[in-house]
Each structure stands twice: as C-alpha cells, then as structure tokens.
Amino acid sequence: MDKKITIDDLTKKLKGPHHKITPQRKIVLQVFIENPGEHLSAEDVHYILRDKRYDIGLATVYRSLELLSELTILQKIDFGDGCRRYELNTANPNAHQHHHLICLKCGKVSEFADDLLDDLEMDIMKKSKFKIIDHQVTFYGYCSECQKQK
C-alpha cells in the first residue's frame, strides 16, 4: 500500500541551496495533495486558489509548476491537446509511471497502472543501444459511460 504523501514530504524535496520553500509554492503543492490523481493545468490550479481566496497570480503558478516538475515533485503531462497538465509524482524513482486512458467524447482521464511494455522496452534498448529510463503511454477511446450513451 502506498504511503500518503504529505506537504512535509514534498517540502523536504524542495529544500536545497538554490530553492526556497515560499508560501506560494507550498500552497501550489497543497492543491495537488488535496486533489490526488487529478491532472491539473496551471489555469486549473489558479482557479482553485482563487476560489479559496488566495492572491497568487497565474505567472507565479506557472513558475511554481515548472520548478516543481524540474525537481520531480510534479510530473508534467501532455495529452496532445495543447494544454500542459501536472500531477503529483508519487512513483518510486526506479518504477515506471502509470499510463492514461482518455475518453474522446467527455474528456475524462483515467489511469492504468499495469506495465506491459517491459519486454518491448528491453528489445528496443538491445537493438538500438539506447538506454530507456521511462516511457509514457496514452490510450484514446470511449469510457464506459460514453459507450452506454451511443
């Protein structure tokens, strides 16, 4: 069973000689802790903070998200729709990330954790002499609710 990530766990990762734990960064991190499994854009985070009456500008949110993804606290995700999203990186650094299932009708994003590509990855590394450290797979289709509506 996965340990629940706390703000203290994440701020420990942020501590260092080049990065400060600013109140804004802590609040942005808190959004992801309070919305586990969500794939949030900078605008989503900004709206959540605005609804909670925090006075943090969109540019500050963008800078915080970029830094937090550089530090691997957040994972940056691109679903090919022109909108960059982020999610809390709770994975073991030696394990692959989960994959995503995206409904083309309602836009719902689900996660799929089985890693069925290990053999393919090993074959690619062997044939190409390219060291793969991770991969990301996104499947597009229709969720069960949208299939029922057809």
Side-chain angles (χ1 to χ4, degrees), residues 5-146:
I5 300 281
T6 67
I7 193 73
D8 290 335
D9 296 329
L10 297 173
T11 53
K12 284 178 192 169
K13 287 179 86 174
L14 187 56
K15 284 183 182 174
H18 305 292
H19 307 293
K20 293 181 182 175
I21 304 168
T22 65
Q24 293 88 350
R25 291 175 185 161
K26 258 185 145 169
I27 291 167
V28 169
L29 282 172
Q30 192 63 43
V31 168
F32 286 91
I33 290 172
E34 292 172 359
N35 296 279
E38 292 292 320
H39 306 90
L40 303 172
S41 68
E43 290 80 7
D44 294 333
V45 172
H46 187 246
Y47 292 137
I48 290 168
L49 293 174
R50 198 172 62 189
D51 286 347
K52 292 182 172 199
R53 308 264 190 247
Y54 286 106
D55 187 24
I56 298 176
L58 184 57
T60 301
V61 171
Y62 271 107
R63 285 191 303 272
S64 295
L65 293 174
E66 283 302 307
L67 174 64
L68 295 171
S69 68
E70 286 173 23
L71 296 172
T72 67
I73 293 170
L74 297 179
Q75 182 183 8
K76 192 185 309 187
I77 306 165
D78 183 356
F79 292 134
D81 61 357
C83 180
R84 187 173 294 155
R85 291 179 181 80
Y86 301 82
E87 66 182 344
L88 201 54
N89 187 359
T90 58
N92 174 333
N94 299 318
H96 290 302
Q97 298 292 330
H98 53 266
H99 306 304
H100 296 96
L101 310 172
I102 301 176
C103 180
L104 294 170
K105 185 171 182 183
C106 70
K108 177 180 165 185
V109 178
S110 303
E111 295 176 356
F112 181 74
D114 286 350
D115 202 346
L116 306 172
L117 300 176
D118 285 339
D119 291 338
L120 176 61
E121 201 173 273
M122 292 304 291
D123 190 45
I124 290 169
M125 288 194 300
K126 183 179 168 186
K127 289 178 180 175
S128 67
K129 296 184 180 16
F130 182 83
K131 183 178 179 183
I132 298 171
I133 57 169
D134 199 4
H135 62 262
Q136 212 177 68
V137 177
T138 304
F139 295 95
Y140 297 90
Y142 298 98
C143 67
S144 59
E145 291 84 17
C146 290

